[in-house]
């Protein structure tokens, strides 16, 4: 056991500030001495099929997300004001800023839809917390493939139930059942954590892992990009029902690729130990032990700081889209589905392209922590700007200002992954996914609740609150850079420092 005065991951420099977990071992051949055994240090083309799988899943998810979000808005509007004929036409514009009565009706529909979005988030988010903890931790022993299969099946079942509700023109609140089922099988965060754990399995604990995790983030982003690009056209041209069919078809393709093409990243030697249902509690405890277990290791605080940043960043990234859609549908913008799709396309496309280009470039001169700070500052600036937008031009400048915001999440994942042993990657990402699920759920609830309460007073208030979260993340990340590690006496080898948690 390490001395209590000794950091878990010491720098190889006597007076070096803390950076990435491998910063102090420059020159060490991590391809040979990493926590990833043998050939798993190398990503082959067969393993990289995980990226198009993640891309297809996210493409389907975002298309369905935009579809359900707008279907809820039109369905609630139609039920609240059945005599208003334009609610029957998806292509019509319900935003009439110059007619006071219609404007009041539109505002009431927005308020009701924001509450509906809260219920959807709770229905899918609460079961997903436990699902991701259990499935992720068990994947360390049973392999990663089932971790991809379950969320894809859950999303497919959600599409089926949504189709039934739309076909029967049933009450829109029956969609809560669809999201609950999807949540019990992992939600979209389930397949995201599967991708991160999979990449950690096949890469060494150095900058290559940071880049590999970024590739997963970019695949998720590009899927979002294409989903936003086509969703508006699909909704406007073929309607809500056939757009749902399209999303379900993508999920079928995704499932076929997982079962037939994706190789298992956990070796057969590791998938030998049988577990009982009673082990679930133990495994859930293991996933949370990174942050709550009492230990003599001073480095435990780094996990706590990382997961705090992770949680706060989730509040801004994942709570933002739902209220953005409501803002865009209302006055003064009055966007239709195609215009909303355009904006989502620009935001996702700009962010992912810049993310992919910047990460490799910044890694030559900056630590992972510093790159994450750049992302947090970019996100803060864009949220403040979005709170003041009143024109379409300024709205489109927002994603350009916030393009670096997507850098924070992959860098924080990489920092935590580098501090974690190879046989606990799934467990660590399971805990992170649980916090991300809570963040997703809480962010949507907070964002829609604030929007509901302030839409008639100050529409941009919700973005100012999110900007505060992002700025606090920036301050926490600075702790990882400025807390000195000088004068620390090393009693372990560098290799042992990397492998121990």
């Amino acid at each position: 056991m390490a001395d209590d005065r000794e950091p878990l991951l010491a720098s190889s420099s006597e007076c070096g500030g803390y950076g990435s977990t491998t910063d102090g071992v420059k020159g060490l051949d991590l391809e040979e001495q990493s926590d990833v055994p043998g050939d798993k240090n190398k990503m082959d083309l067969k393993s990289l099929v995980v990226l198009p799988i993640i891309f297809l899943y996210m493409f389907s998810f975002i298309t369905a997300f935009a579809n359900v979000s707008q279907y809820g808005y039109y369905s609630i509007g139609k039920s609240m004001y059945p005599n208003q004929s334009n609610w029957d036409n998806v292509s019509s514009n319900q935003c009439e800023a110059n007619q006071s009565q219609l404007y009041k009706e539109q505002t009431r529909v927005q308020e009701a839809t924001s509450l509906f979005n809260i219920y959807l988030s709770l229905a899918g988010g609460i079961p997903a917390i436990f699902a991701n903890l259990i499935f992720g931790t068990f994947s360390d022993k049973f392999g990663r493939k089932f971790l991809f299969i379950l969320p894809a099946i859950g999303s497919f079942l959600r599409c089926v139930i949504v189709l039934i509700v739309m076909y029967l023109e049933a009450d829109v609140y029956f969609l809560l059942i669809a999201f609950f089922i999807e949540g019990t099988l992992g939600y979209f965060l389930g397949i995201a954590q599967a991708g991160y754990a999979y990449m950690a399995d096949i890469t060494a604990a150095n900058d290559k892992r940071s880049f590999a995790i970024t590739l997963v983030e970019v695949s998720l982003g590009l899927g979002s990009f294409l989903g936003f690009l086509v969703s508006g056209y699909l909704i406007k041209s073929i309607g809500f029902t056939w757009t749902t069919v399209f999303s379900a078809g993508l999920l079928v393709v995704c499932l076929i690729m997982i079962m037939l093409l994706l190789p298992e990243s956990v070796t057969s030697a590791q998938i030998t130990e049988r577990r009982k249902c009673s082990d679930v509690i133990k495994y859930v405890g293991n996933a949370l032990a990174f942050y709550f277990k009492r230990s003599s290791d001073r480095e435990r605080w780094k996990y706590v700081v990382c997961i705090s940043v992770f949680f706060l960043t989730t509040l801004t990234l994942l709570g933002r889209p739902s209220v953005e859609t409501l803002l865009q549908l209302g006055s003064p913008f009055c966007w239709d589905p195609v215009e909303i799709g355009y904006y989502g396309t620009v935001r996702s496309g700009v962010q992912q392209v810049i993310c992919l280009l910047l990460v490799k470039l910044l890694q030559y001169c900056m630590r992972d922590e510093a790159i994450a700070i750049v992302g947090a500052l970019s996100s803060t600036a864009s949220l403040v700007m979005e709170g003041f937008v009143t024109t379409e031009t300024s709205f489109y400048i927002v994603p350009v200002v916030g393009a670096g915001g997507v850098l924070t999440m992959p860098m924080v994942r990489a920092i935590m992954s580098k501090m974690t042993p190879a046989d606990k990657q799934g467990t660590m990402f399971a805990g992170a996914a649980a916090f991300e699920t809570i963040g997703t759920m809480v962010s949507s609830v907070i964002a829609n609740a604030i929007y509901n309460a302030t839409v008639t007073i100050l529409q941009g208030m919700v973005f100012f609150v999110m900007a505060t979260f992002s700025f606090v993340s920036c301050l926490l990340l600075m702790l990882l850079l400025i807390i000195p590690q000088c004068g620390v006496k090393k009693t372990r080898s560098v290799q042992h420092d990397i492998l121990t948690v």
Side-chain angles (χ1 to χ4, degrees):
M1 176 67 69
D3 188 90
D4 184 47
R5 295 168 298 174
E6 177 186 356
L8 184 63
L9 297 170
S11 171
S12 62
S13 172
E14 283 294 317
C15 292
Y18 173 73
S20 297
T21 58
T22 58
D23 286 344
V25 289
K26 298 295 183 184
L28 180 67
D29 187 1
L30 287 172
E31 293 291 331
E32 296 293 328
Q33 301 187 47
S34 74
D35 60 342
V36 186
D39 293 337
K40 292 171 69 180
N41 286 347
K42 298 180 180 179
M43 292 187 293
D44 54 35
L45 292 178
K46 192 175 181 181
S47 296
L48 289 180
V49 73
V50 67
L51 297 178
I53 287 172
I54 293 171
F55 166 80
L56 279 176
Y57 176 87
M58 205 61 189
F59 178 22
S60 169
F61 182 88
I62 291 298
T63 303
F65 170 81
N67 190 41
V68 170
S69 179
Q70 294 183 50
Y71 176 77
Y73 181 78
Y74 287 101
S75 180
I76 290 173
K78 185 178 177 180
S79 64
M80 291 177 65
Y81 302 102
N83 295 327
Q84 208 35 271
S85 60
N86 59 351
W87 291 107
D88 293 322
N89 186 358
V90 175
S91 300
S92 65
N93 194 335
Q94 280 71 43
C95 180
E96 299 289 346
N98 294 328
Q99 301 181 40
S100 59
Q101 182 57 37
L102 289 179
Y103 176 74
K104 291 178 182 178
E105 292 178 0
Q106 166 220 318
T107 302
R108 294 189 191 103
V109 172
Q110 285 187 327
E111 292 173 347
T113 305
S114 67
L115 288 175
F116 173 67
N117 289 336
I118 291 174
Y119 299 146
L120 287 181
S121 298
L122 293 174
I126 291 176
I129 296 171
F130 302 100
N132 287 324
L133 277 172
I134 295 169
F135 299 151
T137 52
F138 269 76
S139 72
D140 282 332
K141 291 296 181 183
F142 298 147
R144 309 295 185 205
K145 286 190 71 168
F146 87 95
L147 203 55
F148 288 92
I149 292 172
L150 291 179
I153 292 176
S155 295
F156 179 79
L157 293 176
R158 184 247 302 146
C159 286
V160 172
I161 296 174
V162 170
L163 275 174
I164 294 172
V165 171
M166 290 178 176
Y167 179 77
L168 298 177
E169 296 186 356
D171 192 311
V172 72
Y173 282 89
F174 279 110
L175 295 178
L176 296 174
I177 299 173
F179 278 76
F180 177 81
I181 292 174
E182 185 178 31
T184 58
L185 293 176
Y187 210 38
F188 79 95
L189 296 170
I191 210 161
Q193 73 155 322
Y196 300 127
Y198 192 94
M199 282 302 192
D201 291 338
I202 62 175
T203 56
N206 54 20
D207 284 349
K208 289 185 177 180
R209 180 170 298 176
S210 301
F211 187 68
I213 289 176
T214 302
L215 287 178
V216 173
E217 200 85 17
V218 169
S219 297
L220 292 167
L222 291 177
S224 302
F225 168 82
L226 192 58
F228 281 119
L229 177 64
V230 305
S231 60
Y233 286 107
L234 289 173
I235 293 170
K236 196 168 184 177
S237 59
I238 63 177
F240 295 118
T241 301
W242 284 105
T243 301
T244 306
V245 173
F246 175 80
S247 298
L250 290 176
L251 290 169
V252 171
V253 175
C254 188
L255 280 166
I256 292 173
M257 292 179 67
I258 294 169
M259 292 185 286
L260 299 183
L261 301 178
L262 184 67
E264 180 57 68
S265 62
V266 178
T267 62
S268 58
Q270 294 173 275
I271 311 177
T272 55
E273 190 175 355
R274 294 187 177 274
R275 293 290 174 181
K276 302 177 183 179
C277 293
S278 58
D279 290 327
V280 170
I281 297 177
K282 174 186 174 183
Y283 269 62
V284 170
N286 289 340
L288 300 177
F290 289 98
Y291 319 105
F292 301 115
K293 182 180 179 181
R294 290 186 177 182
S295 172
S296 61
D297 295 322
R298 289 180 58 190
E299 296 297 316
R300 186 67 56 188
W301 70 271
K302 294 178 183 176
Y303 278 107
V304 175
V305 169
C306 285
I307 204 63
S308 299
V309 172
F310 192 83
F311 179 76
L312 290 171
T313 305
T314 300
L315 293 181
T316 60
L317 286 181
L318 301 180
R320 192 172 184 174
S322 61
V323 290
E324 271 187 343
T325 300
L326 293 177
L327 182 63
Q328 291 159 355
L329 287 168
S331 177
F333 303 104
C334 306
W335 288 357
D336 63 17
V338 172
E339 290 173 309
I340 293 173
Y342 276 145
Y343 179 79
T345 300
V346 170
R347 182 183 60 191
S348 299
V350 168
Q351 289 178 340
Q352 300 312 316
V353 170
I354 291 180
C355 178
L356 189 59
L357 293 175
L358 281 182
V359 166
K360 206 62 179 175
L361 179 64
L362 292 177
Q363 281 182 334
Y364 286 108
C365 58
M366 300 176 74
R367 298 169 179 170
D368 288 349
E369 294 81 3
I371 298 174
I373 290 172
V374 171
L377 290 174
S378 175
S379 179
T380 302
S382 70
L383 285 163
V384 171
M385 181 178 180
E386 190 163 11
F388 290 109
V389 294
T390 55
T391 65
E392 291 190 10
T393 301
S394 59
F395 218 140
Y396 274 94
I397 295 175
V398 168
V400 177
V401 174
V406 294
L407 294 171
T408 303
M409 293 286 271
M411 291 302 102
V412 173
R413 293 186 209 272
I415 292 167
M416 291 194 294
S417 180
K418 291 175 184 179
M419 294 192 295
T420 306
D423 62 345
K424 287 184 169 50
Q425 291 292 325
T427 302
M428 186 276 293
F429 281 115
F435 279 101
E436 188 172 6
T437 306
I438 296 172
T440 303
M441 181 175 57
V442 172
S443 66
S444 183
V445 171
I446 291 175
N448 281 281
I450 294 174
Y451 189 87
N452 186 314
T454 61
V455 63
T456 58
I457 304 171
L458 180 62
Q459 286 182 317
M461 177 62 71
V462 63
F463 301 109
F464 297 142
V465 174
M466 290 183 180
T468 303
F469 296 152
S470 186
F471 185 70
V472 172
S473 297
C474 182
L475 297 179
L476 290 174
L477 285 166
M478 287 180 180
L479 293 177
L480 299 180
L481 287 175
I482 65 175
I483 293 182
Q485 300 295 313
C486 301
V488 176
K489 182 180 179 181
K490 296 191 301 176
T491 60
R492 294 174 295 176
S493 69
V494 172
Q495 180 183 1
H496 188 258
D497 285 341
I498 294 175
L499 294 177
T500 306
V501 173

